[in-house]
Amino acid sequence: MAVLLFATMPDTPRLHLPIRPRRLRRNASIRALVRETHLAPAHLIQPVFITDSGDSEPIPSLPGIERVPLRQLAGHCRMLRDLGLGGVALFPRTDPMLKTEDGREALNPETLVLRATRIIKAATPEFPVFNDIALDPYTTHGHDGVLNEAGTDVDNDATVEILARMAVLHAAAGADFVSPSDMMDGRVGAIRAALDTAGHSATGIMAYSAKYASAYYGPFRDAVGSSRATGAPPISKATYQLDPANRLEALREVAMDEAEGADIVMVKPAGPCLDIIRETRSVTRLPVAAYQVSGEYAQIHAAARLGWLDLQSTRDESLLAIRRAGADLILSYFAQFWAADQAHGTPPFST
Ligand code: PBG
């Protein structure tokens, strides 16, 4: 305060400061010159929800995001590719009639997401497609795997066997990467072995390695319909997803997935885990992905809708922070909107 008061007086005593960091912030050009972190559309992967119904379906808790019907999918992916995005991550909304306790629809060779994959690879063959490997879109209970006999927990080894078969179907349909999001022990190694045995040694694995049991997945579960009936409490995935209190455990998971043959490791959610992204970046030489999840997107939209935050600048800062933390790739629902703004020449952080 004192300094400010002095500054307004005629005989302001000048501070003898040889080091003045503000010299590098004087104007937009100088700030651009010394900017340390850059984000490009190619770093971003757009999650895409798919529906078997004829029309696109808005998702109220994910403003601006709609489930895309198959007949619009080719055009939609051409648009995303033309924005320069790095790829798409596919998530099906399974017809509730097809859901079962054991999620067997996941192994139907004609299941929605496999038909979608073939459509995309025919329309935009060079555009990378990442297919989620987990059973939650297919099970009546919404868990990522099959339950044990007592129905008290997800059965690890039985689930891994199913996921390995599922991954082979996705590779055969043309997925460039399969992305196990289930957090079962040993699934990356089992999937790698199954892919190789089936002749899919070129198909990559982007492993959800440090995936936390997060409260931020709510809108996603609305989008794929994997939460319990409306009003019921959300299911807990705490016996397989990481405890948000833990850091070392995340690094163990990253090391395991790398040793089992993952090509890309992922941290999720992103904003609440910037420390984990930074540590992961420093312990592996693999590309590191971070997933800015549905709840992170929804909370920025909600605050903007209330007039409490500016949507575009908060969005831009949230993505940049994830990249600064060390993410090479970012999965984000904002991807297409951010990329479209770049294409229209809105310079990020221009003031
Ligand atoms: C499920 C899966 C989830 C997400 C991606 N894959 C939800 C969950 O684990 O319940 C969350 C993505 C998001 O919230 O945007 N295997």
mmCIF file of all heavy atoms in Angstrom, residues 91 132 134 136 144 181 208 211 216-217 220-221 237 241 268 291 293-295 333, ligand 1:
data_model
loop_
_atom_site.group_PDB
_atom_site.id
_atom_site.type_symbol
_atom_site.label_atom_id
_atom_site.label_comp_id
_atom_site.label_asym_id
_atom_site.label_seq_id
_atom_site.Cartn_x
_atom_site.Cartn_y
_atom_site.Cartn_z
ATOM 1 N N PHE A 91 -17.655 -43.272 -26.426
ATOM 2 C CA PHE A 91 -18.416 -43.830 -25.311
ATOM 3 C C PHE A 91 -19.852 -44.076 -25.770
ATOM 4 O O PHE A 91 -20.541 -43.135 -26.170
ATOM 5 C CB PHE A 91 -18.422 -42.861 -24.129
ATOM 6 C CG PHE A 91 -17.038 -42.593 -23.587
ATOM 7 C CD1 PHE A 91 -16.349 -41.438 -23.956
ATOM 8 C CD2 PHE A 91 -16.427 -43.489 -22.731
ATOM 9 C CE1 PHE A 91 -15.074 -41.189 -23.461
ATOM 10 C CE2 PHE A 91 -15.150 -43.249 -22.238
ATOM 11 C CZ PHE A 91 -14.477 -42.100 -22.600
ATOM 12 N N ASP A 132 -12.832 -46.912 -25.269
ATOM 13 C CA ASP A 132 -12.825 -47.220 -23.847
ATOM 14 C C ASP A 132 -13.090 -48.707 -23.622
ATOM 15 O O ASP A 132 -13.988 -49.283 -24.228
ATOM 16 C CB ASP A 132 -13.922 -46.395 -23.159
ATOM 17 C CG ASP A 132 -13.600 -46.115 -21.717
ATOM 18 O OD1 ASP A 132 -12.686 -45.315 -21.457
ATOM 19 O OD2 ASP A 132 -14.261 -46.705 -20.839
ATOM 20 N N ALA A 134 -14.114 -51.091 -20.695
ATOM 21 C CA ALA A 134 -14.659 -51.277 -19.348
ATOM 22 C C ALA A 134 -16.102 -51.728 -19.558
ATOM 23 O O ALA A 134 -16.664 -51.541 -20.643
ATOM 24 C CB ALA A 134 -14.626 -49.983 -18.537
ATOM 25 N N ASP A 136 -18.861 -50.757 -17.728
ATOM 26 C CA ASP A 136 -19.932 -49.932 -17.145
ATOM 27 C C ASP A 136 -21.044 -49.507 -18.104
ATOM 28 O O ASP A 136 -22.181 -49.363 -17.660
ATOM 29 C CB ASP A 136 -19.348 -48.709 -16.402
ATOM 30 C CG ASP A 136 -18.431 -47.877 -17.285
ATOM 31 O OD1 ASP A 136 -17.459 -48.428 -17.821
ATOM 32 O OD2 ASP A 136 -18.681 -46.670 -17.435
ATOM 33 N N ASP A 144 -17.652 -51.340 -13.492
ATOM 34 C CA ASP A 144 -16.783 -51.508 -14.663
ATOM 35 C C ASP A 144 -16.454 -52.966 -14.959
ATOM 36 O O ASP A 144 -15.735 -53.252 -15.934
ATOM 37 C CB ASP A 144 -15.467 -50.730 -14.439
ATOM 38 C CG ASP A 144 -15.674 -49.228 -14.513
ATOM 39 O OD1 ASP A 144 -16.820 -48.779 -14.304
ATOM 40 O OD2 ASP A 144 -14.706 -48.504 -14.770
ATOM 41 N N SER A 181 -10.297 -48.412 -18.822
ATOM 42 C CA SER A 181 -10.624 -47.397 -17.814
ATOM 43 C C SER A 181 -11.149 -48.050 -16.543
ATOM 44 O O SER A 181 -11.715 -47.389 -15.692
ATOM 45 C CB SER A 181 -11.671 -46.426 -18.376
ATOM 46 O OG SER A 181 -12.887 -47.093 -18.592
ATOM 47 N N TYR A 208 -5.797 -45.921 -18.545
ATOM 48 C CA TYR A 208 -6.208 -45.066 -17.439
ATOM 49 C C TYR A 208 -5.435 -45.631 -16.238
ATOM 50 O O TYR A 208 -5.860 -46.590 -15.607
ATOM 51 C CB TYR A 208 -7.695 -45.205 -17.175
ATOM 52 C CG TYR A 208 -8.641 -44.568 -18.176
ATOM 53 C CD1 TYR A 208 -8.742 -45.026 -19.484
ATOM 54 C CD2 TYR A 208 -9.484 -43.536 -17.770
ATOM 55 C CE1 TYR A 208 -9.652 -44.451 -20.369
ATOM 56 C CE2 TYR A 208 -10.407 -42.963 -18.658
ATOM 57 C CZ TYR A 208 -10.472 -43.426 -19.946
ATOM 58 O OH TYR A 208 -11.383 -42.863 -20.811
ATOM 59 N N LYS A 211 -6.393 -43.550 -12.057
ATOM 60 C CA LYS A 211 -7.782 -43.107 -12.134
ATOM 61 C C LYS A 211 -8.383 -43.149 -10.737
ATOM 62 O O LYS A 211 -8.470 -44.209 -10.123
ATOM 63 C CB LYS A 211 -8.576 -44.009 -13.083
ATOM 64 C CG LYS A 211 -10.053 -43.657 -13.130
ATOM 65 C CD LYS A 211 -10.804 -44.436 -14.177
ATOM 66 C CE LYS A 211 -12.282 -44.108 -14.143
ATOM 67 N NZ LYS A 211 -13.034 -44.853 -15.150
ATOM 68 N N TYR A 216 -16.210 -36.328 -9.509
ATOM 69 C CA TYR A 216 -16.364 -35.505 -10.708
ATOM 70 C C TYR A 216 -16.867 -36.264 -11.941
ATOM 71 O O TYR A 216 -16.882 -35.708 -13.027
ATOM 72 C CB TYR A 216 -15.030 -34.834 -11.056
ATOM 73 C CG TYR A 216 -14.628 -33.691 -10.153
ATOM 74 C CD1 TYR A 216 -13.914 -33.915 -8.985
ATOM 75 C CD2 TYR A 216 -14.956 -32.378 -10.481
ATOM 76 C CE1 TYR A 216 -13.533 -32.869 -8.161
ATOM 77 C CE2 TYR A 216 -14.578 -31.322 -9.663
ATOM 78 C CZ TYR A 216 -13.861 -31.573 -8.509
ATOM 79 O OH TYR A 216 -13.486 -30.532 -7.698
ATOM 80 N N TYR A 217 -17.221 -37.544 -11.790
ATOM 81 C CA TYR A 217 -17.658 -38.311 -12.968
ATOM 82 C C TYR A 217 -19.179 -38.284 -13.165
ATOM 83 O O TYR A 217 -19.684 -38.937 -14.079
ATOM 84 C CB TYR A 217 -17.221 -39.785 -12.861
ATOM 85 C CG TYR A 217 -15.729 -40.013 -12.649
ATOM 86 C CD1 TYR A 217 -15.276 -41.157 -11.989
ATOM 87 C CD2 TYR A 217 -14.789 -39.100 -13.117
ATOM 88 C CE1 TYR A 217 -13.916 -41.382 -11.791
ATOM 89 C CE2 TYR A 217 -13.429 -39.317 -12.907
ATOM 90 C CZ TYR A 217 -12.999 -40.455 -12.246
ATOM 91 O OH TYR A 217 -11.666 -40.680 -12.048
ATOM 92 N N PHE A 220 -20.814 -37.634 -16.656
ATOM 93 C CA PHE A 220 -20.489 -38.728 -17.588
ATOM 94 C C PHE A 220 -21.447 -39.894 -17.372
ATOM 95 O O PHE A 220 -21.939 -40.506 -18.330
ATOM 96 C CB PHE A 220 -19.044 -39.196 -17.350
ATOM 97 C CG PHE A 220 -18.641 -40.425 -18.138
ATOM 98 C CD1 PHE A 220 -17.995 -40.303 -19.353
ATOM 99 C CD2 PHE A 220 -18.902 -41.710 -17.644
ATOM 100 C CE1 PHE A 220 -17.614 -41.444 -20.072
ATOM 101 C CE2 PHE A 220 -18.530 -42.843 -18.358
ATOM 102 C CZ PHE A 220 -17.878 -42.707 -19.574
ATOM 103 N N ARG A 221 -21.702 -40.200 -16.113
ATOM 104 C CA ARG A 221 -22.598 -41.342 -15.841
ATOM 105 C C ARG A 221 -24.021 -41.035 -16.328
ATOM 106 O O ARG A 221 -24.732 -41.939 -16.732
ATOM 107 C CB ARG A 221 -22.538 -41.714 -14.362
ATOM 108 C CG ARG A 221 -21.158 -42.286 -14.005
ATOM 109 C CD ARG A 221 -21.012 -42.675 -12.543
ATOM 110 N NE ARG A 221 -19.613 -42.964 -12.224
ATOM 111 C CZ ARG A 221 -19.137 -43.154 -10.997
ATOM 112 N NH1 ARG A 221 -19.959 -43.123 -9.967
ATOM 113 N NH2 ARG A 221 -17.857 -43.401 -10.800
ATOM 114 N N LYS A 237 -16.980 -46.868 -6.542
ATOM 115 C CA LYS A 237 -16.006 -47.695 -7.264
ATOM 116 C C LYS A 237 -14.693 -47.750 -6.485
ATOM 117 O O LYS A 237 -13.624 -47.986 -7.043
ATOM 118 C CB LYS A 237 -15.817 -47.154 -8.682
ATOM 119 C CG LYS A 237 -17.118 -47.160 -9.505
ATOM 120 C CD LYS A 237 -16.890 -46.854 -10.987
ATOM 121 C CE LYS A 237 -18.206 -46.965 -11.771
ATOM 122 N NZ LYS A 237 -18.026 -46.758 -13.223
ATOM 123 N N GLN A 241 -10.991 -48.043 -8.079
ATOM 124 C CA GLN A 241 -10.383 -46.752 -8.413
ATOM 125 C C GLN A 241 -9.611 -46.223 -7.201
ATOM 126 O O GLN A 241 -9.863 -46.609 -6.064
ATOM 127 C CB GLN A 241 -11.480 -45.774 -8.847
ATOM 128 C CG GLN A 241 -12.241 -46.279 -10.080
ATOM 129 C CD GLN A 241 -13.363 -45.360 -10.531
ATOM 130 O OE1 GLN A 241 -13.754 -44.448 -9.807
ATOM 131 N NE2 GLN A 241 -13.906 -45.615 -11.715
ATOM 132 N N LYS A 268 -6.375 -39.126 -14.099
ATOM 133 C CA LYS A 268 -7.774 -38.716 -14.191
ATOM 134 C C LYS A 268 -8.386 -38.666 -12.811
ATOM 135 O O LYS A 268 -8.193 -39.624 -12.067
ATOM 136 C CB LYS A 268 -8.500 -39.758 -15.059
ATOM 137 C CG LYS A 268 -9.970 -39.558 -15.192
ATOM 138 C CD LYS A 268 -10.575 -40.732 -15.919
ATOM 139 C CE LYS A 268 -12.074 -40.562 -15.922
ATOM 140 N NZ LYS A 268 -12.747 -41.718 -16.456
ATOM 141 N N TYR A 291 -7.212 -36.520 -18.210
ATOM 142 C CA TYR A 291 -8.627 -36.441 -18.602
ATOM 143 C C TYR A 291 -9.307 -35.369 -17.761
ATOM 144 O O TYR A 291 -9.495 -35.547 -16.562
ATOM 145 C CB TYR A 291 -9.289 -37.799 -18.382
ATOM 146 C CG TYR A 291 -10.603 -38.031 -19.108
ATOM 147 C CD1 TYR A 291 -10.915 -39.294 -19.611
ATOM 148 C CD2 TYR A 291 -11.546 -37.026 -19.291
ATOM 149 C CE1 TYR A 291 -12.119 -39.545 -20.267
ATOM 150 C CE2 TYR A 291 -12.740 -37.267 -19.946
ATOM 151 C CZ TYR A 291 -13.025 -38.535 -20.422
ATOM 152 O OH TYR A 291 -14.223 -38.768 -21.062
ATOM 153 N N VAL A 293 -12.368 -34.262 -16.715
ATOM 154 C CA VAL A 293 -13.590 -35.067 -16.756
ATOM 155 C C VAL A 293 -14.859 -34.221 -16.775
ATOM 156 O O VAL A 293 -14.818 -32.989 -16.637
ATOM 157 C CB VAL A 293 -13.626 -36.086 -15.591
ATOM 158 C CG1 VAL A 293 -12.429 -37.023 -15.665
ATOM 159 C CG2 VAL A 293 -13.721 -35.394 -14.246
ATOM 160 N N SER A 294 -15.966 -34.948 -16.894
ATOM 161 C CA SER A 294 -17.262 -34.310 -17.070
ATOM 162 C C SER A 294 -17.579 -33.290 -15.978
ATOM 163 O O SER A 294 -18.086 -32.207 -16.257
ATOM 164 C CB SER A 294 -18.345 -35.385 -17.127
ATOM 165 O OG SER A 294 -18.300 -36.212 -15.970
ATOM 166 N N GLY A 295 -17.273 -33.615 -14.721
ATOM 167 C CA GLY A 295 -17.595 -32.700 -13.622
ATOM 168 C C GLY A 295 -16.760 -31.423 -13.663
ATOM 169 O O GLY A 295 -17.209 -30.366 -13.214
ATOM 170 N N TYR A 333 -13.965 -32.248 -22.783
ATOM 171 C CA TYR A 333 -15.204 -31.909 -23.488
ATOM 172 C C TYR A 333 -15.115 -30.520 -24.114
ATOM 173 O O TYR A 333 -15.893 -30.190 -24.994
ATOM 174 C CB TYR A 333 -16.403 -32.009 -22.521
ATOM 175 C CG TYR A 333 -16.498 -33.420 -21.958
ATOM 176 C CD1 TYR A 333 -15.884 -33.748 -20.741
ATOM 177 C CD2 TYR A 333 -17.102 -34.435 -22.682
ATOM 178 C CE1 TYR A 333 -15.904 -35.036 -20.254
ATOM 179 C CE2 TYR A 333 -17.124 -35.733 -22.208
ATOM 180 C CZ TYR A 333 -16.518 -36.028 -20.996
ATOM 181 O OH TYR A 333 -16.511 -37.324 -20.539
HETATM 182 C C1 PBG B 1 -15.938 -45.664 -16.948
HETATM 183 C C2 PBG B 1 -15.471 -44.298 -17.258
HETATM 184 C C3 PBG B 1 -15.810 -43.190 -16.491
HETATM 185 C C4 PBG B 1 -15.252 -42.097 -17.130
HETATM 186 C C5 PBG B 1 -14.569 -42.550 -18.262
HETATM 187 N N1 PBG B 1 -14.708 -43.932 -18.322
HETATM 188 C C6 PBG B 1 -16.679 -43.052 -15.302
HETATM 189 C C7 PBG B 1 -16.517 -43.933 -14.153
HETATM 190 O O1 PBG B 1 -15.447 -44.472 -13.873
HETATM 191 O O2 PBG B 1 -17.531 -44.109 -13.473
HETATM 192 C C8 PBG B 1 -15.421 -40.702 -16.615
HETATM 193 C C9 PBG B 1 -15.243 -39.614 -17.572
HETATM 194 C C10 PBG B 1 -15.854 -38.330 -17.179
HETATM 195 O O3 PBG B 1 -16.376 -38.122 -16.054
HETATM 196 O O4 PBG B 1 -15.834 -37.445 -18.033
HETATM 197 N N2 PBG B 1 -15.126 -46.717 -17.158
#
